[in-house]
Amino acid sequence: MALIIRIYTTAHCVTRLKGTCRRDVANLALTNMLRGRFYTQPAQLLSRKEKTSRENENLLRNLQLMGVDVSKTRNRESFILRRPITYERILQEFLQEKGASTHMVASIISRYPRAIGHNSEALCDLWNVWKSVLDTDSAVLNVVNRSPESFFRTVNIDNLKDNIRFFRFLGLSPKILSQLMAKAPRTFANSVQLNKQKVFFLQEVCTSLGGENCREFVQHIIEQNIFILTRSTKRIQANIVTIESLMKLDKKALLLWIQSDGAHLLSLSYTYFENNFKNAQEKLQALGFSEDEVTRYIFMSPKVLLMTPQNFAKKVNLLLECGIETREILNTPNVLAMGMDHIERKIKDLSKYGFDFKSSGLGILNLSTTKYMSKLEQLASSASLEKTDKK
């Protein structure tokens, strides 16, 4: 009987134990499930974060095979490398069909990685609008290679077309419009509203200086300074005020000057014009020129203010070393506007044949390439004859 009771008790305990184990297992499973639901969520979020920050391996491989500087791309616009869909191969094929080399395509993408976001349809549409003004694929390709950001930023085709229509309405000739697109493509990345505001500002400048034909005034300024619409109106206004103050020009003279040779100076930084003017004035006055003579000289050759004070002083000293009279510098204002290398090369060529700058002046340096080469041949012939006579 005792044995039966013990067996019954053991069996009962085992049964109870089994029941307890089942409940504990169930409770443990429930606990683990709840714990899992509670603790795996951050892990899942972390996984998603890692996934969104992960770079597109296929894209990286393609760019490396194409010769693109991936490290430069990563430093400039790293988000491009995480895009799931890009069109780098399409862009490469498209540009190569237009005449680009493999190296050129790699350089374009390295400098402006967002270019790979354009599909074939967008590329064709954009290219055709630019070509409608520039005429040839090679001309468009030159713009893309020189300034890829300016080209690919004009993704708003309607805005690009509106800008072209607006500039034609202003009366810009096809030649000037082509130059504007080729040399200052950033102009077309502006909204047409912004370009209209800038043109309106220039028209107000014309009116304030007593001008009557504002449309023609704007045409002249853009023709002389193709970058003018990429500059802020604040900068242009500051330079006009500085020019008027330093050069003491009346409104009529100022109007004439800034729509011709002086237009280049409107793009300078706020202090660049003033610093260069004062340095040139100081250098020339030290040579004995009056303030009025200096102003007249700069009025006739404003491009001398585009060079640094160091280059200006170096050119003046070089001419003086050749035996040139100081007065001759003012009589040939365009000479100092030439490049330093250009002046040095000509002086060296002429010195070989004993050219006397003191008696003959600087005029020969101002000659066109054809006339200068002809004059050089004459000097060479004369020098050869002199050697023959001496023998």
Side-chain angles (χ1 to χ4, degrees):
M1 184 66 180
L3 180 60
I4 295 173
I5 293 172
R6 189 177 295 118
I7 293 173
Y8 174 81
T9 303
T10 303
H12 179 72
C13 289
V14 170
T15 304
R16 292 293 302 271
L17 182 60
K18 286 182 178 178
T20 302
C21 288
R22 290 193 189 99
R23 284 196 301 272
D24 289 344
V25 170
N27 289 338
L28 182 61
L30 179 61
T31 302
N32 286 338
M33 183 180 70
L34 293 174
R35 184 181 296 158
R37 288 183 63 184
F38 183 80
Y39 287 107
T40 57
Q41 191 171 1
Q44 289 170 353
L45 289 176
L46 181 61
S47 177
R48 291 194 197 108
K49 185 176 180 181
E50 288 175 349
K51 187 175 180 180
T52 56
S53 63
R54 194 181 301 143
E55 293 179 342
N56 185 332
E57 294 297 332
N58 289 331
L59 171 59
L60 288 175
R61 195 178 303 109
N62 283 341
L63 294 180
Q64 288 167 348
L65 289 173
M66 292 166 64
V68 175
D69 189 336
V70 176
S71 60
K72 185 184 290 186
T73 301
R74 188 176 287 116
N75 290 334
R76 288 185 172 181
E77 295 175 321
S78 59
F79 70 93
I80 292 292
L81 300 178
R82 297 193 296 271
R83 284 188 175 177
I85 300 176
T86 52
Y87 305 96
E88 63 279 358
R89 288 298 185 188
I90 289 176
L91 177 64
Q92 182 183 43
E93 291 175 7
F94 181 87
L95 292 178
Q96 286 181 334
E97 285 178 0
K98 302 301 182 183
S101 65
T102 302
H103 175 75
M104 185 186 293
V105 175
S107 174
I108 289 169
I109 297 175
S110 297
R111 285 178 287 143
Y112 192 67
R114 296 189 200 187
I116 64 176
H118 292 65
N119 60 30
S120 57
E121 183 179 357
L123 285 171
C124 286
D125 290 344
L126 188 58
W127 193 275
N128 289 336
V129 176
W130 281 77
K131 190 176 177 181
S132 68
V133 175
L134 297 178
D135 294 330
T136 65
D137 286 332
S138 61
V140 181
L141 186 60
N142 284 336
V143 173
V144 179
N145 186 38
R146 189 177 65 252
S147 183
E149 180 177 359
S150 298
F151 178 82
F152 288 107
R153 278 181 61 194
T154 54
V155 290
N156 188 333
I157 299 295
D158 291 334
N159 183 73
L160 179 58
K161 290 179 179 178
D162 287 343
N163 268 322
I164 293 171
R165 278 193 290 268
F166 173 62
F167 291 129
R168 283 173 173 159
F169 170 76
L170 280 179
L172 297 185
S173 66
K175 179 182 177 180
I176 297 301
L177 186 57
S178 295
Q179 289 180 3
L180 192 63
M181 289 195 85
K183 296 180 179 180
R186 276 183 54 199
T187 307
F188 295 85
N190 292 341
S191 68
V192 68
Q193 290 77 14
L194 179 58
N195 282 329
K196 286 181 178 180
Q197 289 172 12
K198 292 186 176 186
V199 166
F200 180 70
F201 164 77
L202 292 175
Q203 291 174 333
E204 286 185 321
V205 168
C206 176
T207 303
S208 68
L209 295 177
E212 296 179 356
N213 194 333
C214 296
R215 184 189 181 91
E216 191 174 289
F217 174 81
V218 173
Q219 289 173 8
H220 288 320
I221 287 218
I222 294 176
E223 287 172 10
Q224 292 294 326
N225 185 349
I226 214 76
F227 303 99
I228 192 70
L229 296 179
T230 65
R231 306 298 188 246
S232 71
T233 55
K234 186 177 180 181
R235 172 184 293 192
I236 296 170
Q237 181 62 45
N239 282 327
I240 290 174
V241 171
T242 304
I243 290 168
E244 188 174 16
S245 172
L246 289 175
M247 298 188 65
K248 299 179 175 61
L249 300 175
D250 60 36
K251 293 186 182 300
K252 184 177 180 180
L254 182 59
L255 178 71
L256 177 65
W257 195 57
I258 64 175
Q259 69 178 331
S260 54
D261 292 339
H264 297 280
L265 303 179
L266 299 181
S267 292
L268 300 180
S269 65
Y270 299 128
T271 58
Y272 195 85
F273 171 82
E274 183 175 2
N275 290 339
N276 286 9
F277 181 90
K278 289 182 176 179
N279 277 285
Q281 186 180 55
E282 183 180 343
K283 178 66 177 178
L284 293 175
Q285 285 182 330
L287 297 176
F289 299 118
S290 67
E291 184 177 332
D292 287 344
E293 286 176 321
V294 173
T295 300
R296 193 178 310 115
Y297 170 72
I298 293 175
F299 187 87
M300 295 297 295
S301 185
K303 289 182 179 180
V304 298
L305 298 183
L306 298 176
M307 68 185 76
T308 64
Q310 293 78 11
N311 274 344
F312 180 79
K314 190 176 179 181
K315 288 178 183 179
V316 171
N317 293 337
L318 178 63
L319 295 176
L320 293 177
E321 288 170 4
C322 292
I324 301 233
E325 296 289 340
T326 54
R327 186 64 49 183
E328 186 70 18
I329 294 176
L330 290 191
N331 293 337
T332 49
N334 291 329
V335 170
L336 289 180
M338 294 179 183
M340 190 69 193
D341 293 342
H342 194 56
I343 296 175
E344 287 178 329
R345 187 180 68 253
K346 284 190 172 183
I347 289 176
K348 186 177 180 180
D349 290 341
L350 294 167
S351 298
K352 290 179 183 177
Y353 307 115
F355 185 82
D356 186 1
F357 283 101
K358 188 171 184 178
S359 60
S360 303
L362 289 172
I364 191 170
L365 298 180
N366 262 341
L367 295 177
S368 66
T369 302
T370 303
K371 290 183 178 180
Y372 171 75
M373 293 306 296
S374 176
K375 182 67 176 177
L376 206 61
E377 288 175 4
Q378 292 175 16
L379 291 171
S381 298
S382 297
S384 178
L385 287 173
E386 287 180 7
K387 287 182 180 179
T388 302
D389 291 341
K390 287 179 181 179
K391 292 179 180 179

